[in-house]
Amino acid sequence: MNRRFVLFAAIVAGVLVALTVSNIRYSPWTNTVARTVDQRGPLSEAERANIELFERVSPSVVQVAARSAASNPLAEDEGGDGAAGAASGTGFVWDNAGHVVTNNHVVQDGSEVAVRFASGEVAQAELIGVAPNYDLAVLRIKNARQLPPPVALGSSTELKVGQSAFAIGNPFGLDQSLTSGIISALKRRLPTSSGREISNVIQTDTAINPGNSGGPLLDSAGRLIGVNTAIISPSGSSAGIGFAIPADIVNRVVPELIKSGRVPTPGIGIVAASEAVSTRLGIEGVIIVRTAPGSPAERAGIRGVDLGSGALGDVIVQADGKPVHRLSDLTDQIEQIGAGKSIRISLKRGSQTREINIDIVDIGRS
């Protein structure tokens, strides 16, 4: 009796499941066609602004590929680091004469350079000049059919921490990417491959990755405020700390590169102690280790460290009326004034302080 009841119950349960499945599958209320797309409301003001910025500026941003003569032309380097013998980066149209600005480290090892526009057109380019001290380079397009307009120029002196920033570039070989963030910090110092430091560098959390190098950092008006050049990242990808060369430096260096292919390295002919040494000695200023023979510093009677006794000589504490706390403060003032002019500096020797005028020369030629 119990066995018959269990068998009957199992049969009934199976019939119910079959009927349920059948009803689900063939129910007249089941939708068997594509759903209707729900209409969204209007885009937000911020979204419209981002779209407009990208559509306006991106045609003027190019992918830069530099290849050495010995490299394999079929090799891929999507990371943008030159590992395959062909470095890939970003650049942007500077003027109507076909000049393109990018980073020096993107093209420094390449004998052949080409650019790809947003339209897909590829054009050969020639290297006009490089400025390793600023990690900047200028190319000139050889055979483009029609150039997009130059990227609008802004000023880096107006920037405020917290304002919006946008980057357009080619991360990992992927063309025409837009990322956004804010200005995280200002007046950073960035060492270059030439051994000098770029002062007043912009720090941003806008995502910058390998391949973005040389691309524009933009404000919310779509104006150039910097050239993306470096990141700090343990993994090699964006960690939210990127650096850009300020637009004011770019606007000073690029015309010089176009005119003469190089940028003067203004200086007074000193060798300074490191900032770590100054900190250990509790001295605020630039400690002069020695002066270069025949330099303006030597002619002005600036004294370096006495190597025999270790006694300090002169310490530069002021330049052009502004305090000098570290070497970058001094070089920044010297670069702003430029070679061929003079600068007034304050020197402290022991307890005595004196002021002198000293000539600025192009130390890059010596």
Side-chain angles (χ1 to χ4, degrees):
M1 182 69 179
N2 290 338
R3 183 179 300 175
R4 290 178 180 177
F5 178 78
V6 171
L7 179 61
F8 175 76
I11 293 173
V12 171
V15 171
L16 290 175
V17 169
L19 289 175
T20 301
V21 171
S22 176
N23 287 337
I24 291 174
R25 182 176 299 172
Y26 300 108
S27 169
W29 295 284
T30 299
N31 193 350
T32 59
V33 296
R35 292 182 57 191
T36 302
V37 176
D38 295 330
Q39 297 299 312
R40 62 155 290 151
L43 295 171
S44 69
E45 184 177 347
E47 288 174 311
R48 291 196 303 272
N50 292 347
I51 293 169
E52 191 275 332
L53 181 149
F54 180 75
E55 291 179 345
R56 174 162 46 90
V57 180
S58 61
S60 303
V61 179
V62 300
Q63 186 171 14
V64 178
R67 184 174 67 87
S68 64
S71 64
N72 180 0
L74 300 179
E76 297 284 348
D77 181 34
E78 296 182 353
D81 58 3
S88 174
T90 302
F92 57 93
V93 177
W94 175 258
D95 58 22
N96 292 318
H99 291 107
V100 167
V101 174
T102 186
N103 280 148
N104 173 63
H105 76 258
V106 171
V107 299
Q108 63 182 353
D109 296 324
S111 58
E112 299 176 9
V113 183
V115 300
R116 182 188 296 275
F117 292 94
S119 63
E121 179 186 358
V122 176
Q124 296 299 310
E126 61 179 326
L127 186 61
I128 297 300
V130 297
N133 289 340
Y134 305 97
D135 196 19
L136 291 173
V138 174
L139 312 171
R140 183 163 56 210
I141 306 300
K142 289 182 178 180
N143 54 0
R145 289 190 293 272
Q146 184 175 0
L147 287 173
V151 174
L153 181 65
S155 174
S156 48
T157 58
E158 305 170 351
L159 298 178
K160 302 292 183 183
V161 173
Q163 77 176 74
S164 298
F166 302 83
I168 300 178
N170 306 279
F172 302 108
L174 303 172
D175 61 345
Q176 296 291 293
S177 289
L178 172 69
T179 55
S180 64
I182 62 169
I183 302 297
S184 305
L186 298 168
K187 297 185 178 180
R188 295 297 196 212
R189 292 176 295 144
L190 187 66
T192 65
S193 59
S194 65
R196 291 172 66 91
E197 285 186 338
I198 307 173
S199 59
N200 296 319
V201 169
I202 302 163
Q203 179 184 325
T204 178
D205 71 348
T206 305
I208 298 171
N209 287 290
N212 275 112
S213 293
L217 186 69
L218 308 163
D219 63 11
S220 57
R223 304 180 308 162
L224 179 77
I225 56 174
V227 175
N228 300 317
T229 188
I231 60 174
I232 291 180
S233 170
S235 67
S237 300
S238 175
I241 302 179
F243 299 102
I245 305 161
D248 292 344
I249 290 180
V250 178
N251 199 27
R252 185 174 78 237
V253 170
V254 168
E256 289 283 348
L257 291 178
I258 293 173
K259 181 172 66 176
S260 60
R262 65 178 298 273
V263 176
T265 304
I268 58 176
I270 61 169
V271 175
S274 69
E275 192 173 326
V277 171
S278 300
T279 302
R280 284 199 300 269
L281 295 175
I283 293 176
E284 195 168 296
V286 173
I287 298 174
I288 307 300
V289 175
R290 61 181 175 85
T291 59
S295 67
E298 184 187 56
R299 295 195 298 269
I302 294 178
R303 183 187 299 172
V305 174
D306 186 327
L307 298 180
S309 64
L312 294 180
D314 289 320
V315 178
I316 299 177
V317 295
Q318 198 173 75
D320 198 29
K322 299 178 177 61
V324 171
H325 303 291
R326 54 179 68 91
L327 182 59
S328 59
D329 296 330
L330 175 62
T331 56
D332 190 35
Q333 294 303 317
I334 289 174
E335 288 174 355
Q336 288 188 31
I337 294 173
K341 300 178 182 179
S342 64
I343 185 172
R344 190 163 185 82
I345 62 174
S346 295
L347 297 167
K348 188 173 183 180
R349 184 184 298 175
S351 60
Q352 301 296 316
T353 301
R354 63 190 179 102
E355 292 191 351
I356 62 171
N357 287 322
I358 186 168
D359 293 333
I360 301 173
V361 297
D362 181 5
I363 60 175
R365 290 195 179 277
S366 58

